[in-house]
Amino acid sequence: MTMYAKPIPKINEDSRPFWGGCKVHELRFQKCNQCGHVRWPPAIICPECHGKDTVWITAAGHGRVYTYVVYHIAYHPGFKGELPYVVAVVELHEGPRIFTNIIGCSTEEVYCDMAVEVVWDDVTTELTLPKFRPVK
Ligand SMILES: [Zn+2]
């Protein structure tokens, strides 16, 4: 594995298909075959109807900034070189809300409800992170 100075996600059996999708630049989520709810984080049952019949779908990668914060202090040494940076919750068109970073613009340009699209950060040979940039 390539050296990477920041914390990395803990991948488990539930989330492995999501991270495997990221590796091939696909944003994958579980969709309930009983009620149609698209969920995040992955789980063995649907939080809406408790159904267990699930399929993995690939999201288009478009959404809006639901909320965000600008970090001016590095709480982990790996982030010192990136200050200031944006941590956001992006609501995808398919429904799930995921934590991510907004990149490709200044921190002052980010606002709630801003249209964004996924971009892929291949941080190691093993791990790719989904990040988002403004839709121009
Ligand atoms: Zn359901």
Side-chain angles (χ1 to χ4, degrees):
M1 181 183 278
T2 310
M3 286 300 293
Y4 181 65
K6 299 170 191 168
I8 60 172
K10 288 185 171 69
I11 297 171
N12 61 33
E13 288 310 307
D14 289 335
S15 66
R16 193 172 309 284
F18 173 82
W19 293 111
C22 291
K23 192 72 203 133
V24 295
H25 297 181
E26 289 185 5
L27 208 46
R28 296 177 184 163
F29 294 99
Q30 289 174 311
K31 181 177 183 179
C32 176
N33 277 333
Q34 196 165 305
C35 75
H37 179 68
V38 180
R39 63 182 182 259
W40 178 257
I44 59 169
I45 63 167
C46 174
E48 295 294 317
C49 74
H50 300 160
K52 290 184 176 176
D53 186 11
T54 298
V55 64
W56 283 87
I57 63 161
T58 300
H62 294 272
R64 297 194 172 274
V65 173
Y66 181 76
T67 190
Y68 71 98
V69 64
V70 179
Y71 276 62
H72 295 276
I73 296 172
Y75 293 98
H76 183 282
F79 293 98
K80 275 186 181 169
E82 296 191 12
L83 295 173
Y85 66 93
V86 175
V87 174
V89 175
V90 164
E91 184 174 80
L92 293 152
H93 288 173
E94 292 82 359
R97 294 176 184 160
I98 64 170
F99 279 100
T100 186
N101 297 115
I102 306 299
I103 62 173
C105 64
S106 74
T107 57
E108 291 81 15
E109 292 175 276
V110 178
Y111 59 92
C112 288
D113 210 36
M114 181 172 75
V116 291
E117 61 189 1
V118 71
V119 287
W120 299 101
D121 187 359
D122 298 310
V123 299
T124 71
T125 56
E126 308 296 321
L127 179 70
T128 297
L129 298 176
K131 297 184 177 181
F132 286 80
R133 68 181 173 205
V135 174
K136 301 290 182 194

